[in-house]
Amino acid sequence: MKYIYPILFLLLVVLAGCSDDDLYLEESVFIEDPEVPGLPIYSEYGYNTFGVRYDRDVITNNTADYPLKVIVSDGSCSFNFNGRKDYYNDFNITLKLDNYLPNDEYDLLDLNNQVIDLTGEQVDVEIEDNGKEESVEILNGQFTFKKVQRLTVDEVESGVILSGVFDFKAIINGEPVAFSYGRFDVIISYSNFFVLN
Amino acid sequence: MKRFYLLAVSLFLVAFSLMLEAQEKEKTNNWYWGISTSITPSVDTELKTHDFIRKDNEQWNEYYFDFVEGTFYSWNLGLNIERRFLDNRLAIVSGLLYSQTISGMDSDDYSSSEFMMINISNGSSGVEYLKVKGFDQKAHYLGIPVGVKYTPLKDHFVNLYIKAGLTFDLLLGHKINTDFVNPLMNKYNDRVGKLFNDPANLYTTFDFRGGMKLGKVGQPNLNLEIGPTVILSDDPSSITTSEVGFSFQLNVLLPL
């Protein structure tokens, strides 16, 4: 019993260190697209959602993981989309851009209205299905950052919002598959932007 | 709704023709005038959804509205005129009323998020959110009530009656005030107010009340009325929606 007070005190200190803004903006706002059931609507409000159809399966973000982490390391920038296939199995899609090295989240504003051809030499796509990395051969497709914009809360800069669409065909473990109706609308801020090494 | 209006108009016409007939028979002047005030809290307030409030229409978080509370009530003050017929048993009532509807939306103090995020811009300058604790709106109306009052018992100092009627209110103006988390954001108050739709221009209610009269015929009367009020028109609020309220009215009538 005598240990409970220090633990409670520590808990209070940790909670006091969290900003309400960050916690609020980290939440996802999922509004289902009536035209593509199971996927979130395409939006540009920083709703922290992503989704794509994988053949006839649906992959969407979940409430537990960040839908997207941006990691700069080893001379490339990775956009790691964390989702679930059919709501249960972990399914991650990583878009890796070689020689693109943003220093902070605000450097991502350069991506506004940029189309990335996934068959390009400096582009790589990695897929992890239920913890297992799959071999991927991209046949065609593109990743479009339709809008990358600054986010302010009460006139204070609070990150950037990446919104866009994607689709591609690939051979995964020897089987041709299509990723279609892909869309994302994610806030990138202190919590999900990392520069390693 | 059309059937309801037809029924109400028919009943009114029947009562009116009975009164005209009775008026011819009566020689005494049974005109009264007075002042009244009432308050009508809503019993079924619900919040409207707004796209600019983050998490409105949220489908994963079904309990969002548990964190946000809505209120709606109205009050009025007015001049009344009353013409009594059939030995003071039946009366037609009308007048002129100033009404104010007050509605609000507030974050629940006990919720995990004590504020809402509202999106005020999604343009070239980026996405701008403001943190807001709540909103309140006051809408001002000028109205004409039209009703019928029936007193089933003979005249006593204390007597009971029932009253039914419609009130037609015309919007004079309205104002939305936003309670920002950061007081420095108060400068956005008008801009936020414009994000909401306007309340109904014509606000119509139907009242059915039971009343108690203190005072005898030909003398000043003090009346207390209570009963349900049904909103027949679009909402007189940009923030909440409501269909039924419960009214408490106090009025004083003097013989002309």
Side-chain angles (χ1 to χ4, degrees):
Chain A
M1 188 67 187
K2 64 182 177 182
Y3 298 111
I4 194 79
Y5 295 108
I7 290 169
L8 278 176
F9 177 74
L10 273 175
L11 192 64
L12 276 174
V13 169
V14 169
L15 286 175
C18 297
S19 150
D20 271 357
D21 293 11
D22 290 345
L23 294 177
Y24 199 111
L25 289 170
E26 282 173 10
E27 290 177 25
S28 293
V29 179
F30 185 90
I31 302 169
E32 189 172 23
D33 186 342
E35 291 177 10
V36 193
L39 294 189
I41 56 163
Y42 174 74
S43 56
E44 295 176 347
Y45 297 105
Y47 281 168
N48 289 323
T49 54
F50 106 91
V52 63
R53 278 178 66 91
Y54 171 46
D55 280 349
R56 296 177 68 181
D57 289 333
V58 169
I59 297 162
T60 59
N61 63 290
N62 58 74
T63 50
D65 305 313
Y66 282 111
L68 173 61
K69 284 183 179 176
V70 179
I71 302 166
V72 182
S73 73
D74 296 332
S76 67
C77 178
S78 298
F79 297 83
N80 296 1
F81 291 90
N82 304 306
R84 296 219 173 134
K85 190 168 73 176
D86 289 335
Y87 310 107
Y88 295 108
N89 300 321
D90 287 345
F91 197 99
N92 303 332
I93 301 172
T94 301
L95 170 70
K96 204 180 227 182
L97 303 179
D98 290 340
N99 297 321
Y100 176 61
L101 305 170
N103 291 314
D104 61 25
E105 58 267 37
Y106 296 101
D107 282 349
L108 297 172
L109 290 164
D110 296 338
L111 290 173
N112 186 43
N113 210 18
Q114 295 292 314
V115 180
I116 312 289
D117 181 356
L118 298 182
T119 58
E121 284 186 0
Q122 298 201 318
V123 180
D124 194 16
V125 175
E126 294 172 358
I127 287 172
E128 205 176 280
D129 187 356
N130 221 6
K132 184 182 152 210
E133 195 168 320
E134 310 284 5
S135 85
V136 181
E137 183 191 339
I138 296 291
L139 298 173
N140 59 49
Q142 57 188 28
F143 218 98
T144 305
F145 291 94
K146 286 177 82 171
K147 206 160 188 180
V148 182
Q149 48 190 337
R150 210 172 282 271
L151 168 68
T152 58
V153 177
D154 283 354
E155 296 183 342
V156 176
E157 287 194 337
S158 305
V160 296
I161 295 173
L162 297 184
S163 308
V165 293
F166 62 94
D167 51 50
F168 58 92
K169 287 181 178 174
I171 293 176
I172 297 179
N173 293 335
E175 187 185 345
V177 292
F179 289 79
S180 51
Y181 301 103
R183 70 279 309 269
F184 57 93
D185 177 25
V186 183
I187 295 171
I188 305 296
S189 61
Y190 172 81
S191 306
N192 55 353
F193 182 89
F194 303 91
V195 178
L196 309 180
N197 65 42
Chain B
M1 193 60 80
K2 276 185 182 173
R3 278 186 183 174
F4 178 82
Y5 276 118
L6 275 174
L7 182 65
V9 170
S10 306
L11 285 173
F12 180 76
L13 288 174
V14 168
F16 191 68
S17 56
L18 277 172
M19 289 168 197
L20 286 177
E21 193 180 317
Q23 193 179 19
E24 286 177 13
K25 293 177 187 171
E26 293 181 28
K27 290 177 184 173
T28 54
N29 183 3
N30 284 316
W31 286 95
Y32 286 74
W33 76 278
I35 54 170
S36 69
T37 184
S38 73
I39 185 163
T40 309
S42 162
V43 296
D44 64 342
T45 306
E46 286 185 14
L47 289 165
K48 290 182 175 177
T49 56
H50 302 278
D51 290 342
F52 57 87
I53 301 178
R54 193 178 167 92
K55 295 188 77 61
D56 253 18
N57 296 321
E58 166 65 276
Q59 292 172 348
W60 279 352
N61 188 353
E62 295 171 4
Y63 305 105
Y64 167 60
F65 279 141
D66 289 349
F67 303 149
V68 184
E69 297 172 328
T71 52
F72 175 79
Y73 68 96
S74 64
W75 65 269
N76 64 45
L77 186 68
L79 289 171
N80 296 50
I81 190 150
E82 183 173 309
R83 176 69 170 97
R84 296 179 184 175
F85 306 89
L86 299 176
D87 199 20
N88 289 286
R89 297 245 171 133
L90 199 63
I92 184 166
V93 295
S94 188
L96 193 65
L97 291 176
Y98 163 77
S99 303
Q100 194 177 84
T101 62
I102 295 161
S103 52
M105 178 196 287
D106 287 295
S107 295
D108 183 344
D109 290 341
Y110 301 102
S111 70
S112 55
S113 295
E114 292 178 2
F115 57 83
M116 297 168 261
M117 289 267 192
I118 58 166
N119 176 235
I120 58 160
S121 171
N122 194 28
S124 56
S125 60
V127 176
E128 295 176 57
Y129 281 103
L130 296 174
K131 285 187 284 177
V132 161
K133 288 181 191 167
F135 309 93
D136 68 70
Q137 179 182 47
K138 286 180 182 168
H140 311 276
Y141 287 90
L142 193 64
I144 296 177
V146 182
V148 176
K149 189 165 119 177
Y150 178 64
T151 309
L153 305 172
K154 282 202 307 185
D155 185 45
H156 296 285
F157 182 80
V158 178
N159 210 343
L160 301 175
Y161 62 87
I162 53 172
K163 192 164 101 176
L166 294 165
T167 305
F168 304 94
D169 287 289
L170 194 67
L171 181 68
L172 300 175
H174 74 100
K175 171 93 175 163
I176 292 177
N177 283 312
T178 305
D179 184 9
F180 294 97
V181 171
N182 181 349
L184 293 174
M185 300 300 119
N186 286 342
K187 60 189 175 187
Y188 289 101
N189 192 58
D190 289 346
R191 197 164 148 192
V192 172
K194 285 177 186 162
L195 297 173
F196 289 88
N197 293 327
D198 286 344
N201 278 322
L202 185 65
Y203 165 43
T204 310
T205 52
F206 171 74
D207 295 288
F208 184 79
R209 294 175 184 162
M212 185 174 71
K213 173 182 74 90
L214 300 177
K216 296 203 65 148
V217 169
Q219 294 176 353
N221 293 169
L222 177 69
N223 302 295
L224 176 68
E225 299 174 3
I226 56 171
T229 294
V230 181
I231 298 173
L232 303 175
S233 63
D234 290 339
D235 293 303
S237 164
S238 310
I239 299 170
T240 60
T241 181
S242 173
E243 289 178 357
V244 183
F246 203 83
S247 295
F248 302 86
Q249 191 192 68
L250 190 68
N251 66 61
V252 177
L253 289 173
L254 305 167
L256 266 176

